[in-house]
Amino acid sequence: MNQAMPNVTRNTRQRAEVLALLREVEGFHSAQQLHQMLLARKAGVGLTTVYRTLQLLVDAGEVDSTRLPGGEQLFRRCSQSKHHHHLVCRDCGRTVEVAGPAVERWADQVAAQHGFVDVGHTLEIFGTCAECVR
Amino acid sequence: MNQAMPNVTRNTRQRAEVLALLREVEGFHSAQQLHQMLLARKAGVGLTTVYRTLQLLVDAGEVDSTRLPGGEQLFRRCSQSKHHHHLVCRDCGRTVEVAGPAVERWADQVAAQHGFVDVGHTLEIFGTCAECVR
DNA sequence: CATCTATCGACAACGACTACCAACACCACG
DNA sequence: CGTGGTGTTGGTAGTCGTTGTCGATAGATG
Ligand SMILES: [Zn+2]
Ligand SMILES: [Zn+2]
Ligand SMILES: [Zn+2]
Ligand SMILES: [Zn+2]
């Protein structure tokens, strides 16, 4: 007959391609950009699969995601697994990982002062990097 | 003949309606939500105009905007016109306006250290407010 | 190999948002 | 008050990122 247990993650060629690309790429990129790169290297991966794989990786904590002011979602494989934030170039996606212990404390403290619990935060710094200025 | 100076902001009924609504409403709402409210009160304001007016208000610093995790843009008339951030309850949407001069300086300084220019940032603190804990 | 089923992917659909453009209505001026 | 011009409106069509659909495909297990 059969048994119910729809919880197996398969090791497919497409997921390996996406992961390999993310390992070589620097900074944040959109799903569509990554898809274009995969096309360029003749990796056979559909756009839908790119989206799904990225979402899987985000859920698994393997990939960080942020959103452009326009709402577009960007993805990046992060080197650190601990909590940190990003300084991102609006034009080329170059990213610097930054840590601000003082900011973390400030955020928690402000929230506590107002009686908030289970506190989290989002913080992104945007700008144009030195390369893109020229 | 004529003179060139396309920089006059007119005082239209539609803009007054949007502003009046924003004055009565509490917390963050999407453009479409606000449009629905305007429909309900029989104010004749098109969706396009709602979007345009909100963008005007954001540019003028009269209204603050943030983005839902899904990317949808939310708007709120803020009591302060100067730069500040928000502490938002995940459950009820209650919002506290907070200011952190130290954070502002830190963000600009970090960006400058890495050669970034034209720098901006986003910062939101999320949590569960005292009311919603009970 | 055989079989089961998670996964793929081309395409359609969706939702937020914007461009278009002819009709409209502020408002400075006469 | 009229009137002219020009900033503004708004229905509609289109853009764009993202997700749903569903038959075809291909991992994994024995
Ligand atoms: Zn750059
Ligand atoms: Zn943090
Ligand atoms: Zn609450
Ligand atoms: Zn700030």
Side-chain angles (χ1 to χ4, degrees):
Chain A
M1 297 307 178
N2 54 34
Q3 79 292 344
M5 188 53 179
N7 203 353
V8 188
T9 354
R10 252 171 219 185
N11 201 2
T12 69
R13 179 184 57 79
Q14 289 88 341
R15 289 179 184 170
E17 293 279 12
V18 171
L19 268 174
L21 175 60
L22 283 173
R23 239 174 257 122
E24 301 173 22
V25 141
E26 185 66 20
F28 279 100
H29 296 272
S30 70
Q32 315 235 12
Q33 285 176 328
L34 293 168
H35 179 231
Q36 286 304 315
M37 296 180 201
L38 288 170
L39 284 183
R41 63 160 73 183
K42 305 270 195 302
V45 184
L47 177 59
T48 309
T49 298
V50 173
Y51 273 107
R52 276 188 300 228
T53 303
L54 287 173
Q55 195 51 59
L56 277 180
L57 291 171
V58 167
D59 293 344
E62 298 275 329
V63 161
D64 257 19
S65 83
T66 183
R67 273 179 196 275
L68 234 41
E72 191 178 8
Q73 193 170 13
L74 302 182
F75 303 88
R76 175 174 192 258
R77 184 176 158 281
C78 266
S79 55
Q80 344 183 6
S81 57
K82 48 175 278 209
H83 177 84
H84 63 278
H85 297 283
H86 294 109
L87 166 60
V88 185
C89 175
R90 288 191 191 87
D91 296 330
C92 68
R94 179 166 302 151
T95 302
V96 180
E97 300 183 358
V98 297
V103 174
E104 312 296 331
R105 282 194 299 272
W106 172 79
D108 290 342
Q109 179 186 338
V110 165
Q113 278 176 0
H114 293 276
F116 280 60
V117 299
D118 192 21
V119 176
H121 61 266
T122 65
L123 168 58
E124 302 283 345
I125 309 177
F126 296 99
T128 307
C129 77
E131 286 294 319
C132 290
V133 167
R134 299 181 303 187
Chain B
M1 297 307 183
N2 53 32
Q3 78 293 342
M5 187 55 179
N7 203 351
V8 188
T9 5
R10 257 172 214 181
N11 202 1
T12 69
R13 178 185 58 77
Q14 290 88 339
R15 289 179 184 171
E17 293 279 12
V18 172
L19 269 174
L21 175 60
L22 283 173
R23 238 174 257 122
E24 301 173 22
V25 145
E26 184 67 21
F28 281 98
H29 296 273
S30 71
Q32 315 238 12
Q33 283 176 329
L34 293 168
H35 180 232
Q36 286 303 316
M37 297 180 200
L38 289 169
L39 284 182
R41 62 160 71 183
K42 304 269 194 299
V45 184
L47 177 60
T48 308
T49 299
V50 173
Y51 273 108
R52 275 188 302 229
T53 303
L54 288 172
Q55 195 51 60
L56 277 180
L57 292 171
V58 168
D59 292 343
E62 298 275 328
V63 161
D64 256 18
S65 80
T66 184
R67 275 180 195 278
L68 235 43
E72 191 177 7
Q73 193 171 12
L74 302 182
F75 303 89
R76 175 174 190 263
R77 183 179 159 279
C78 273
S79 55
Q80 341 181 11
S81 59
K82 47 175 282 206
H83 177 85
H84 62 278
H85 298 281
H86 294 109
L87 167 59
V88 185
C89 175
R90 286 193 194 88
D91 296 331
C92 68
R94 181 168 299 151
T95 302
V96 179
E97 301 180 1
V98 297
V103 174
E104 312 298 330
R105 282 192 299 271
W106 173 80
D108 289 342
Q109 178 187 338
V110 165
Q113 279 175 0
H114 291 88
F116 281 60
V117 298
D118 191 20
V119 175
H121 61 264
T122 66
L123 169 58
E124 306 281 346
I125 309 177
F126 298 99
T128 307
C129 77
E131 286 293 319
C132 290
V133 168
R134 298 182 304 189

